[in-house]
């Protein structure tokens, strides 16, 4: 499949490779390794610990204060956090959504910390909590509100270490469901429709502190069980777009990778999943 580079009129080199862009289209995500440094991640992590202590008395030096999971639902606008939203990351976002089409708001939003979620759960993978983000808008095929799901790893995340779990290829089904509902769906209606059939091809978003996963806004995900390792720190944020997606262009050379991925989902047969399971929100 022919995939666009940064786009017409862009003079810079693409940060993402053709293989990254293919992965985004086909699997629903790609990974920008070392988007920020391990030292930058450690400094940001200290800011998150400080905030968790202020808000909930959760202290790094006292594991008895650690809940299974804790979410800081706010942007941490401190320099050490903002420094982790680097130029290569901004360029990689543009590689996927198209130059000039991203609103360009740099920063890290939501902070889900996984201390021991599902540690004693006998199931191999969680079958609950599956969702796409965006409870603040009506979901349509061309919605501009989320753009991408951007997940920064702020600690090393090993297999079994409480990574976010994704259902690879689920973005393809979400696109097909949304195409059947031109008037859009609420968040919960969308979950119900996509999860009416089993999903699978479950993959943990593991990696090193400083890696960033650039995921499709239609990719279903949930918090993974944490069986091992230190607390897992990530931040989720969106890369909202300036305008709705265009899925009807005459000349598809102007399509962004995101637009092309949706067109490809609608043209292909429904996706199939490895080890499918019935899942719910
Ligand atoms: O904690 C996680 O790994 C998942 C978090 C999540 O799904 C979300 O913030 O939307």
């Amino acid at each position: 499949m022919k995939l666009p580079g940064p786009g017409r009129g862009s003079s810079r080199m693409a940060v993402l490779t053709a293989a990254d862009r293919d992965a985004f289209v086909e699997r629903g995500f790609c990974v920008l390794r070392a988007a920020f440094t391990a030292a930058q991640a450690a400094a940001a992590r200290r800011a998150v610990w400080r905030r968790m202590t202020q808000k909930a008395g959760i202290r790094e030096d006292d594991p008895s204060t650690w809940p299974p999971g804790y979410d800081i639902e706010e942007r941490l606008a401190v320099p050490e956090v903002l420094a982790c939203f680097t130029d290569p990351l901004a360029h990689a976002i543009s590689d996927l959504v198209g130059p000039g089409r991203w609103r360009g708001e740099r920063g890290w939003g939501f902070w889900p910390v996984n201390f021991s979620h599902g540690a004693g759960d006998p199931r191999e993978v969680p079958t609950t909590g599956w969702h796409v983000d965006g409870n603040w808008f009506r979901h349509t095929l061309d919605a501009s509100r989320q753009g991408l799901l951007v997940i920064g790893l702020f600690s090393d995340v090993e297999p079994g270490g409480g990574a976010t779990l994704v259902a690879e290829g689920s973005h393809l089904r979400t696109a097909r469901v949304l195409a059947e509902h031109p008037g859009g769906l609420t968040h919960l209606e969308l979950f119900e429709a996509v999860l009416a059939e089993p999903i699978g091809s479950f993959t943990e978003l593991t990696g090193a502190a400083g890696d960033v996963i650039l995921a499709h806004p239609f990719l279903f995900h949930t918090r993974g069980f944490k069986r091992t390792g230190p607390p897992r720190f990530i931040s989720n944020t969106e890369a909202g777009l300036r305008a709705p997606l265009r899925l009807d262009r005459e000349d598809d050379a102007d399509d962004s990778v995101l637009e092309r991925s949706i067109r490809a989902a609608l043209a292909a047969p429904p996706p199939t999943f490895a080890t499918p399971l019935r899942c719910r929100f």
Side-chain angles (χ1 to χ4, degrees):
M1 177 186 295
K2 182 170 74 68
L3 289 170
R8 285 180 178 169
S10 172
S11 54
R12 70 170 174 81
M13 292 288 291
V15 171
L16 298 179
T17 64
D20 291 330
R21 288 179 265 132
D22 278 344
F24 180 85
V25 171
E26 288 157 20
R27 303 170 68 190
F29 67 94
C30 61
V31 184
L32 181 65
R33 301 278 171 210
F36 49 95
T37 66
Q40 285 176 311
R45 227 165 38 235
R46 286 192 287 278
V48 178
W49 277 115
R50 278 198 301 277
R51 194 71 186 115
M52 287 195 295
T53 303
Q54 283 166 353
K55 289 190 76 160
I58 297 169
R59 299 171 53 92
E60 183 172 8
D61 60 1
D62 183 0
S64 73
T65 64
W66 299 358
Y70 188 77
D71 299 335
I72 301 182
E73 298 189 27
E74 61 189 59
R75 289 174 97 77
L76 291 183
V78 295
E80 59 270 43
V81 168
L82 295 173
C84 295
F85 208 105
T86 57
D87 287 343
L89 173 56
H91 292 327
I93 291 171
S94 294
D95 286 352
L96 294 177
V97 302
R101 297 189 198 170
W102 171 45
R103 285 205 303 271
E105 289 156 357
R106 295 192 183 203
W108 293 98
F110 188 61
W111 295 86
V113 182
N114 189 347
F115 292 93
S116 58
H117 172 70
D121 198 303
R123 289 172 298 171
E124 199 171 326
V125 291
T127 52
T128 54
W130 286 91
H131 66 283
V132 292
D133 290 354
N135 57 5
W136 65 96
F137 60 91
R138 193 166 176 83
H139 290 259
T140 55
L141 204 53
D142 64 354
S144 59
R145 302 298 295 277
Q146 186 172 11
L148 299 178
L149 165 63
V150 181
I151 303 178
L153 303 190
F154 285 81
S155 59
D156 293 342
V157 187
E158 306 284 342
T164 305
L165 198 67
V166 300
E168 284 193 26
S170 54
H171 63 302
L172 305 171
R173 184 185 290 167
T174 308
R176 298 172 72 86
V177 165
L178 289 172
E180 287 164 13
H181 296 91
L185 292 171
T186 66
H187 211 203
L188 292 178
E189 287 167 345
L190 178 62
F191 301 166
E192 208 168 297
V194 173
L195 301 177
E197 299 290 334
I199 54 172
S201 306
F202 301 115
T203 302
E204 292 179 294
L205 298 181
T206 55
D211 292 347
V212 175
I213 293 95
L214 298 159
H216 202 288
F218 298 167
L219 187 71
F220 271 70
H221 58 279
T222 192
R223 181 169 300 174
F225 291 151
K226 186 165 186 308
R227 320 281 198 198
T228 182
R232 180 227 60 177
F233 287 73
I234 63 169
S235 181
N236 282 359
T237 197
E238 78 267 356
L241 306 181
R242 292 183 194 281
L245 301 180
R246 287 275 311 276
L247 302 168
D248 58 352
R249 286 198 181 85
E250 300 266 307
D251 180 356
D252 66 8
D254 283 334
D255 276 358
S256 66
V257 179
L258 177 59
E259 287 164 336
R260 191 164 294 213
S261 73
I262 295 172
R263 290 223 233 188
L266 302 183
T272 55
F273 296 96
T275 55
L277 288 175
R278 189 64 199 270
C279 294
R280 60 188 173 80
F281 176 53

